[in-house]
Amino acid sequence: MMKGDEGSEVPQQPSPTNYEEIKNSSLHYTLDTPSDKKTGSSLPVFRVSFRDGAVITTILVVVMVVWVGMFLPLMLVTVEVRAKGCQACEKQIATQQTLIHFLTNRTTSDYGTLVLEELLVTVRQWVRNPANEAVDALWGTMQTWHSFNSSWVGAGDCEQRNSVAYYSLKLLLEQWKRVPRKVDYEMYAEPHADRLYVAFNDSNAFAGIRINIEPDPDASKNCTYCWRRAEYFTNADGKTLHIERVENPEAMPVGPVVHREENYTPSERPYFSAQNILVQAWKEQAELNATKAKEMPLKRAWSQIYKFVDGQVGLSWTAPIAYCGNYSCVQGIVSSDVMLKYVSVALIERWEKLQRNEDMKAPIGYSNSSLFIVNQRSRHFPKQNGMLVATSNRYLSVKTLNLSNESTDPVVGPASRALLDCFGSWSAPQLRKPGTLSLKVASDKCEHCTHDIPTTESKCKIVQWLPSPLDSHNNSLWLMVLVLPGQAFARKAQRSMQQTLENFAIIENESRHHTWEVLRLGLCMLAVVACVGTMVGTILGCVVERPLQRLDALLRDMVNLDFSDGGGELASWQAGETSQIRDVAKLQRAFCSLSRGTEAFSRFVPDAVVRHIVSGDRKRATMVHVSRRTVTIMFSIIKDAHQLSEWLPERDEFLHVLKRYFSVMTSVVELYEGVVGEIMTEPPGLLVFWNTPLSVEDHECKACAAALAQQHAIRVLNAEFAQGGLCQVQLGAHIGIHTGVVRTGNIGSAKKMKFGCLGDPMNLASRLAGLCKMYGVGTICSAATHNPLPDLFVSRKLDLVKVKGRMEPTTIYEVIGRICPQAYPSDEDFFSDSDLESGRRPNIKTSESEWDDQEYLPNTSSLSEDERERQITRLQRLPPTTFAVAKAVQMSRESVARNKSGLGKRKMTVTMMPWRFFQVRGRCPNLAAHHSLIGLDSVLGYDSSTEITDAQRSFASRYEAALSAFQRGDFAEARMLTFELLKENPEDCASVNLYGRAGKYLGPDGEVVGLTEEELKSWTGVLNMVGK
C-alpha cells in the first residue's frame, strides 16, 4: 500500500514475477477504497454477550452498590441542589431588579419625551402661531388698502392710524374671544397675541392695540369683555406716545389717556432691532450687487427678548412694511408681541400634572425637578443665547433677563451648567436634536452616573431636551429641558419587587420540606427500580443481541458499499418482517432507509467520497476542503447530441439510449480506475478524474486507454441499437484529456457541497473536447498527458493552439490507439483448466527463455533493459480495449437486472481475465471459451478497428512532418506535404486545416506573404482559439 495526498492508503496492483504466484492468488481491479479493512475494524465490536453470566452478575453488583451508596450522597446532593437553586433564584431576582431599574429609567425617559413633545405643541400654539396669524392678517389688509389707494401707507393722518388700530383690535379680539380658563394662581385666555401694532421709521408714526386681562370677581359668568382691557396706542405728533383705554370695542371711541411717554422713537425700540439688522444686511448686499439685492425676499424675524412698557417680559414677531416687495422701500414694521408669562404658566401646569402622577416613587418638587426653556439660538442677537425664557417654578418669576446657567433655581442653574460643561455651548450639534443624559447635576459638571442604569441616589438626574424652532429658518430656536430624578417612576416596580421577595421566602421554606419528603420516597423507589430494571434489561439484552449482530454485519457491508444482501435479511426487513421489539424494529427500518439512501447517494457521488462519509471521516465527508494534486481530467461529450431528439422523438427511446450510453461509458472508465465526477446534461457527457480522490498509478495511460475503450464501446453500442431497431442512432464522442495540478476535494458552502476539481486544467480539458470537431478526431490530449505515455500508444501531434482562458499555447495530440502485440504463445503452455475457468491473469514475462520480448513490444530494440521491463509492467496494468468494452457491457447488463429484481448495488470488483486472448481473436485458439465465460459472444464480435496499421502510423508521421514544417515557417513544404496527405485521405480535417493555413501565407510564386521578417523569425505556428 502507498499513501495518497490526503494520507489515505492507495492500492498498488501486484506485479507477479512467476506463474506460481498467479495460480495461488487471483488479481482483481476494484473500485473500493483500500481503507475498507481499516474502516471495518474501526466499528465497535461486542467483546462480551448480553447473555454471559459475568455481565448479569456485574450489573446486579453495580446496581446494589449504587443502591447502598445512594442514601448519604443523595441527601447531600439534594441539599446542595436546593441551596444552589435558592442562590440561582436570588441571582435572578437581582438581575430582575437591575432590569426593573432599567425599565423604570426607560419609562422616565419615555414619559419625559411625551411631556416635551406636548410642550413643543404648546410653544407653537402660544408663541409662534398667534403672532404669525395676527401679523399675516394685518399686513395683508394694509396691502389691500394700499392697492386701492396708493397714497395710503398707514402712517398718514389720524384716520389711517385709527383704521390700523381698529382693525388690530378686531384681530386680537378674535383670538381673545375664546373661553378663558381659570387656574389657582392667575387668569389667562387661550393662545393669543398681546399686542398688535405698526411703527414707521421715518415719520416715527405708531399705532396699535394691546389687550390685558383684568380680573373682576363680581363679573357675570356670561360677560364677554369683563375680564379684558383693550388699550389704544398712538403718537399723533410723532414724539409723544399716548396710551388710551378703549371703552367700547365695537364703536372704537377713544377713552381717557392712561399713560403718556415723551420722545418715543419707534425705530429705536427693541421690536425694531431685528428688521434694522435685516435692512442693514440688504444695504451691504446692495453695495456689492444691486441686482442680487433687489432679488432678496422680505423676511420676518423675532426680536430680542425685552421688557415691555408695562414691565412684562416678551418678544415681538415683526414683518417689514415694504409695498414694493423688497428692502429698498421699507417704511416700517408690523409687529405682534407675545408675553413669556403665558409660557411659564404652560410649564407650571404640565410640571404639576407630572407631580400628581401616582407612579412616582417619591414626590417631586422644586428641589429635584424642573421644566424650563432656554433661548438656544438667536441669530440676530447672539448675546441672548442661553437666556432663560420660562420655568416651571411658580415662585421664580421670569421678569428679568438672566442666563439659565446663572439662575438661582436649585435645578435650572446646575442642570444648565452641567449641559454646558458636556457640550461646550448651547449651539452644539448634540443639542440641536432630541437627547437624554443621566447626570449628577448637583456637581455643575458633566459627570455621568457611575452605573449604566441610574440609581435612586438624589444627585442622579435624567436630563432630557428637545429643540423648538420659532420660525421656518431656525433663526430663533428655543431648547426645552426636563429634569427628573433617576428612577422617578419606580413606585409600582418596588412594590412588585417586595412582593416577589416575600413569595420567594415562602417558596424556599416549602422547598426545604418537600426535599426531605422526596428524598425518603426516592430511597424506597430506588430498590424497586434497581431490581426490576436489572431483570428487564437482562431479558431485553438477550432478545436484542441477535438482530443487532446481524445489523452490525450489514452495516460493515454498507461501509464497503456492498448492498448485495447475501443473507436476505435486508429484503425481509424491507418487506416488513422486522423484530418484535419496537426500538429494534425502528432501528432495522432506519437502516433500510439508510441503506437505500446510501445506495442512491453512491450513484451521484464517487464511491471513494461515499466511503469517507459512511466511515465517519469528518474532514473528507462533511467539510469543505481541497488539496493540490496532479490529476488527469477527461471531458467525454456525445457528438452531435442535439440530433438525438430528432432521431428519437419518443421520450422512452431517447432516455433508453442515454441510459445505455452512460451505463457502458461509466463502467469503461471505472475499469480503468477513473472516477466519474459528473454526468453532464448540456452537452450530454461525462466528466472523469484520475488520481483523485485516491492515488492512481500511470493515470495518464489509463485515461488514454479509457478514451480508446470508449470509442470502441460506441461502435458496439451503435451495433446494439441497430440490432434493436434504432438504426438511425449513430453515436459518437469527442473526448478531451489533460493532466495538471488542480485543487480537488469538497467544494461548496457549509450546507451544500460537491466533490470536484478547481483550476485551469479543467478549462483546458473542456476546450480540448471542443476542438475534436474542428480537427475531425475522436480523442485529443494535451502534451502534459501525452509525454508520460509509453510507446505502446500511437498518437499524432495535431497542432499548437492557444485556447480561451490560457495565455500559453498548448501542444495537442490525437490519441489514435494502442499497439497490438505481434503474436501470443498458446494457452496450454501457461494455463491449466482451473486457470481458464477462474480467469486468472498470466504473467506476460517470466524469463527470457520462455519467449522473446521482441514478439510482443514493437520497436523496442533501442530501449534499455530497464525501459523494456517498465514498458511490459505498464502494459500489464492496462486492461485491453476489447476486454474492457466486453466487461463494461456485462456489468451494465447485470446492473439493470439487479435493479429490476430490487437488489442493491453489488460491490464492484472486476476480475481480470487473460487479456491477450482479447487482443487478436484469430490468433487465440481458446478465445471462444473465454468469450463464453463472460457471456458476450453474441454482442462483441471481432473488430479490426482496435488494431493499429502501418498505414495509420505512416499517415500520422507524415502529418507531423507537415506540421513541423509549418511551425518553422516553411509554408511551401507544409502545403506540399498536406497536399499529398489529402490525396490519400481527403476527409482528414486536420490536414485540410493545415493545408489552408499554409496557403494563407504563400504568394503566387511561392514566396511568404502576410508576415514581416521579424514575425517570420519568431513564428511558432500557434493557432489562436481565444475568441472561440
Side-chain angles (χ1 to χ4, degrees):
M1 309 294 282
M2 65 180 180
K3 297 288 183 179
D5 290 348
E6 293 296 327
S8 60
E9 294 182 348
V10 181
Q12 283 189 335
Q13 304 302 331
S15 299
T17 58
N18 54 66
Y19 176 68
E20 292 300 329
E21 294 179 1
I22 299 174
K23 291 186 66 176
N24 295 330
S25 62
S26 297
L27 179 63
H28 294 80
Y29 269 74
T30 73
L31 298 181
D32 294 334
T33 61
S35 59
D36 288 341
K37 183 177 180 180
K38 180 179 178 181
T39 302
S41 61
S42 64
L43 293 175
V45 178
F46 292 108
R47 299 300 181 186
V48 181
S49 173
F50 274 108
R51 292 174 292 182
D52 291 343
V55 175
I56 304 301
T57 304
T58 302
I59 293 175
L60 291 175
V61 171
V62 170
V63 171
M64 294 304 296
V65 170
V66 172
W67 178 76
V68 172
M70 276 295 293
F71 181 77
L72 183 59
L74 183 59
M75 179 182 293
L76 297 177
V77 169
T78 304
V79 173
E80 183 179 359
V81 168
R82 186 190 60 80
K84 289 184 177 180
C86 294
Q87 292 176 1
C89 291
E90 292 174 353
K91 185 177 180 180
Q92 288 297 321
I93 290 176
T95 303
Q96 293 298 323
Q97 286 179 331
T98 303
L99 180 60
I100 289 174
H101 285 315
F102 174 79
L103 294 177
T104 53
N105 177 50
R106 186 66 177 269
T107 303
T108 303
S109 176
D110 293 344
Y111 194 86
T113 301
L114 180 61
V115 171
L116 292 177
E117 289 177 351
E118 291 178 353
L119 187 58
L120 176 64
V121 176
T122 301
V123 169
R124 290 177 180 173
Q125 291 177 346
W126 274 94
V127 179
R128 180 175 175 176
N129 295 346
N132 194 47
E133 291 174 1
V135 170
D136 273 345
L138 181 56
W139 172 234
T141 303
M142 292 175 64
Q143 285 180 308
T144 302
W145 290 342
H146 179 76
S147 63
F148 287 106
N149 183 5
S150 59
S151 62
W152 194 97
V153 295
D157 53 14
C158 182
E159 183 180 356
Q160 291 185 10
R161 291 195 297 274
N162 286 339
S163 298
V164 171
Y166 180 76
Y167 189 70
S168 299
L169 176 63
K170 292 297 183 181
L171 291 176
L172 291 184
L173 287 177
E174 287 298 323
Q175 296 182 1
W176 281 75
K177 278 183 178 180
R178 302 172 185 137
V179 179
R181 293 184 295 172
K182 183 177 181 180
V183 294
D184 59 353
Y185 51 88
E186 187 173 358
M187 290 298 303
Y188 73 104
E190 291 295 323
H192 62 273
D194 297 284
R195 297 173 176 82
L196 182 61
Y197 50 87
V198 296
F200 296 87
N201 46 9
D202 294 335
S203 61
N204 288 331
F206 182 89
I209 288 293
R210 77 176 180 185
I211 299 179
N212 293 330
I213 294 178
E214 189 176 82
D216 186 359
D218 298 330
S220 172
K221 294 182 180 179
N222 297 324
C223 180
T224 305
Y225 302 108
C226 56
W227 290 350
R228 301 181 179 89
R229 183 182 67 188
E231 295 178 338
Y232 168 61
F233 293 78
T234 184
N235 56 347
D237 55 0
K239 295 181 179 180
T240 304
L241 177 65
H242 297 273
I243 302 177
E244 303 173 357
R245 184 165 184 170
V246 179
E247 297 292 347
N248 187 356
E250 298 297 333
M252 188 60 189
V254 178
V257 176
V258 297
H259 181 76
R260 179 181 287 108
E261 184 175 344
E262 302 292 340
N263 299 322
Y264 186 83
T265 304
S267 60
E268 297 177 356
R269 302 298 294 178
Y271 52 76
F272 228 111
S273 57
Q275 291 299 328
N276 285 338
I277 293 174
L278 293 175
V279 171
Q280 183 63 29
W282 178 86
K283 291 180 179 179
E284 294 175 356
Q285 180 64 36
E287 293 178 358
L288 298 175
N289 190 336
T291 303
K292 190 174 181 180
K294 289 183 179 180
E295 296 176 357
M296 288 181 60
L298 297 175
K299 296 182 180 179
R300 299 181 183 183
W302 286 99
S303 70
Q304 62 195 42
I305 300 175
Y306 65 98
K307 282 189 176 182
F308 298 152
V309 177
D310 56 359
Q312 296 290 339
V313 177
L315 69 167
S316 303
W317 177 243
T318 62
I321 299 177
Y323 294 105
C324 63
N326 56 59
Y327 282 101
S328 62
C329 61
V330 174
Q331 301 178 17
I333 65 169
V334 178
S335 178
S336 177
D337 296 343
V338 177
M339 291 189 294
L340 298 182
K341 68 177 183 178
Y342 300 119
V343 180
S344 296
V345 170
L347 294 184
I348 292 172
E349 182 182 23
R350 279 157 181 79
W351 182 82
E352 291 184 349
K353 179 181 179 182
L354 180 65
Q355 190 181 34
R356 293 190 295 268
N357 194 302
E358 295 181 355
D359 293 334
M360 283 291 181
K361 176 185 176 183
I364 61 174
Y366 298 126
S367 61
N368 61 1
S369 175
S370 181
L371 180 62
F372 61 95
I373 298 178
V374 179
N375 187 18
Q376 184 180 12
R377 181 176 185 266
S378 182
R379 179 180 178 184
H380 305 303
F381 311 101
K383 291 184 179 181
Q384 289 198 339
N385 290 350
M387 182 174 292
L388 183 62
V389 176
T391 177
S392 60
N393 191 340
R394 68 165 63 186
Y395 303 106
L396 184 65
S397 176
V398 184
K399 293 186 178 181
T400 57
L401 304 180
N402 296 324
L403 296 177
S404 61
N405 58 333
E406 298 176 356
S407 175
T408 59
D409 186 274
V411 177
V412 175
S416 299
R417 290 189 290 272
L419 288 176
L420 288 176
D421 187 62
C422 289
F423 303 112
S425 67
W426 293 108
S427 59
Q430 295 87 341
L431 296 176
R432 293 291 185 88
K433 54 187 178 180
T436 303
L437 283 179
S438 179
L439 300 173
K440 294 182 179 180
V441 298
S443 63
D444 293 347
K445 300 293 183 181
C446 185
E447 184 178 356
H448 294 270
C449 287
T450 56
H451 306 285
D452 293 336
I453 301 174
T455 62
T456 55
E457 58 187 50
S458 60
K459 293 183 179 180
C460 189
K461 301 292 189 294
I462 301 295
V463 181
Q464 294 181 258
W465 62 87
L466 178 67
S468 174
L470 296 183
D471 54 33
S472 58
H473 302 290
N474 289 338
N475 292 327
S476 296
L477 192 66
W478 285 359
L479 185 68
M480 300 176 294
V481 182
L482 174 63
V483 181
L484 287 174
Q487 301 294 310
F489 290 87
R491 175 176 295 178
K492 287 186 177 180
Q494 286 194 343
R495 194 181 304 129
S496 176
M497 181 56 66
Q498 183 64 29
Q499 184 65 35
T500 301
L501 293 175
E502 295 176 358
N503 293 337
F504 171 71
I506 297 174
I507 294 174
E508 183 179 9
N509 294 331
E510 292 180 353
S511 66
R512 184 182 296 108
H513 175 72
H514 290 310
T515 298
W516 292 106
E517 292 294 333
V518 172
L519 183 59
R520 285 190 291 269
L521 181 60
L523 291 174
C524 297
M525 293 295 297
L526 178 63
V528 176
V529 171
C531 296
V532 175
T534 302
M535 295 174 60
V536 173
T538 303
I539 296 173
L540 288 179
C542 298
V543 175
V544 170
E545 180 182 12
R546 184 182 178 281
L548 288 182
Q549 288 179 345
R550 186 52 193 161
L551 190 63
D552 173 69
L554 291 175
L555 183 60
R556 294 174 187 275
D557 292 338
M558 187 186 70
V559 170
N560 295 325
L561 300 186
D562 184 4
F563 304 98
S564 57
D565 188 22
E569 288 87 351
L570 187 59
S572 63
W573 293 349
Q574 292 176 349
E577 300 176 4
T578 57
S579 173
Q580 297 299 321
I581 300 176
R582 182 172 57 185
D583 292 337
V584 177
K586 287 182 179 179
L587 189 60
Q588 291 172 341
R589 287 192 293 270
F591 177 80
C592 292
S593 300
L594 177 62
S595 178
R596 288 193 297 269
T598 305
E599 179 185 359
F601 185 57
S602 64
R603 300 178 186 272
F604 294 90
V605 181
D607 288 354
V609 178
V610 178
R611 287 191 180 90
H612 289 311
I613 294 175
V614 298
S615 63
D617 189 341
R618 177 173 176 82
K619 179 180 179 182
R620 293 173 179 263
T622 61
M623 298 178 63
V624 176
H625 75 96
V626 294
S627 61
R628 290 175 59 86
R629 293 184 73 127
T630 300
V631 177
T632 298
I633 304 162
M634 172 193 286
F635 275 87
S636 177
I637 302 172
I638 298 179
K639 177 182 176 182
D640 298 330
H642 62 279
Q643 295 181 355
L644 281 178
S645 58
E646 299 177 3
W647 294 339
L648 304 172
E650 295 294 333
R651 183 175 65 89
D652 294 340
E653 294 179 351
F654 179 72
L655 292 179
H656 168 71
V657 170
L658 285 182
K659 178 181 178 181
R660 187 73 177 129
Y661 174 85
F662 285 130
S663 299
V664 174
M665 294 306 168
T666 300
S667 300
V668 168
V669 298
E670 288 178 347
L671 281 170
Y672 289 93
E673 301 184 53
V675 174
V676 178
E678 181 179 354
I679 295 180
M680 300 178 293
T681 57
E682 188 57 37
L686 298 178
L687 171 59
V688 188
F689 304 121
W690 275 266
N691 206 38
T692 182
L694 302 178
S695 297
V696 177
E697 189 175 357
D698 286 338
H699 49 88
E700 301 92 346
C701 300
K702 293 174 181 176
C704 293
L708 295 174
Q710 288 186 64
Q711 298 291 354
H712 181 61
I714 288 176
R715 293 190 288 271
V716 175
L717 286 176
N718 287 335
E720 179 182 317
F721 293 148
Q723 185 178 358
L726 300 177
C727 300
Q728 69 274 29
V729 177
Q730 292 297 321
L731 297 178
H734 289 160
I735 302 175
I737 307 174
H738 175 59
T739 301
V741 178
V742 299
R743 295 189 179 275
T744 176
N746 293 344
I747 305 167
S749 66
K751 293 184 177 181
K752 298 289 184 181
M753 64 184 70
K754 62 170 287 186
F755 176 82
C757 297
L758 295 175
D760 178 66
M762 293 284 291
N763 172 59
L764 182 54
S766 174
R767 301 293 178 185
L768 295 183
L771 290 177
C772 290
K773 183 177 182 179
M774 174 181 173
Y775 289 96
V777 298
T779 305
I780 292 180
C781 70
S782 64
T785 303
H786 175 268
N787 293 338
L789 296 179
D791 293 341
L792 56 93
F793 283 93
V794 176
S795 61
R796 173 173 59 155
K797 184 179 180 181
L798 283 178
D799 212 337
L800 181 65
V801 299
K802 182 187 290 186
V803 300
K804 185 176 182 180
R806 285 178 63 92
M807 298 299 295
E808 298 297 328
T810 303
T811 302
I812 60 175
Y813 295 83
E814 175 193 4
V815 181
I816 299 176
R818 291 165 55 184
I819 296 176
C820 180
Q822 299 289 331
Y824 293 93
S826 172
D827 295 344
E828 290 78 3
D829 296 337
F830 302 101
F831 301 105
S832 63
D833 294 338
S834 61
D835 294 330
L836 295 177
E837 293 175 359
S838 62
R840 291 188 179 130
R841 176 183 175 185
N843 187 14
I844 291 182
K845 177 182 178 183
T846 59
S847 66
E848 293 291 338
S849 60
E850 295 184 5
W851 66 75
D852 187 4
D853 290 337
Q854 296 289 342
E855 297 179 18
Y856 303 100
L857 291 175
N859 300 325
T860 59
S861 58
S862 61
L863 301 178
S864 63
E865 289 296 330
D866 294 340
E867 183 65 21
R868 292 169 63 192
E869 192 71 26
R870 190 180 67 85
Q871 294 274 14
I872 295 174
T873 303
R874 298 179 71 179
L875 176 62
Q876 291 175 339
R877 293 173 178 167
L878 292 179
T881 301
T882 309
F883 167 78
V885 173
K887 194 63 179 179
V889 173
Q890 176 196 16
M891 289 190 298
S892 63
R893 286 179 174 177
E894 291 178 355
S895 177
V896 172
R898 294 183 65 84
N899 288 338
K900 289 182 178 180
S901 63
L903 296 178
K905 185 176 70 172
R906 188 173 59 186
K907 178 180 177 182
M908 186 173 291
T909 301
V910 182
T911 303
M912 294 292 100
M913 302 297 291
W915 296 339
R916 291 196 306 277
F917 305 117
F918 296 90
Q919 296 284 346
V920 183
R921 183 168 185 172
R923 299 176 182 175
C924 179
N926 294 328
L927 184 62
H930 294 299
H931 274 211
S932 63
L933 278 176
I934 59 176
L936 297 173
D937 207 24
S938 61
V939 176
L940 195 58
Y942 172 69
D943 190 351
S944 61
S945 61
T946 59
E947 296 186 9
I948 303 300
T949 64
D950 293 337
Q952 288 177 304
R953 277 184 269 181
S954 174
F955 190 89
S957 177
R958 285 181 290 158
Y959 175 85
E960 291 181 353
L963 178 64
S964 176
F966 176 78
Q967 290 179 345
R968 66 175 180 266
D970 192 352
F971 303 116
E973 177 71 15
R975 189 172 177 85
M976 181 187 68
L977 292 175
T978 53
F979 180 75
E980 295 296 330
L981 294 174
L982 290 176
K983 288 195 300 182
E984 181 178 338
N985 185 5
E987 296 181 357
D988 185 46
C989 295
S991 300
V992 172
N993 293 338
L994 186 58
Y995 181 81
R997 291 167 61 193
K1000 179 180 177 182
Y1001 300 103
L1002 283 179
D1005 298 330
E1007 71 280 4
V1008 178
V1009 296
L1011 294 175
T1012 63
E1013 293 184 2
E1014 295 296 329
E1015 292 175 339
L1016 189 59
K1017 289 180 181 180
S1018 60
W1019 175 259
T1020 58
V1022 177
L1023 178 60
N1024 194 342
M1025 302 293 291
V1026 174
K1028 299 184 179 181

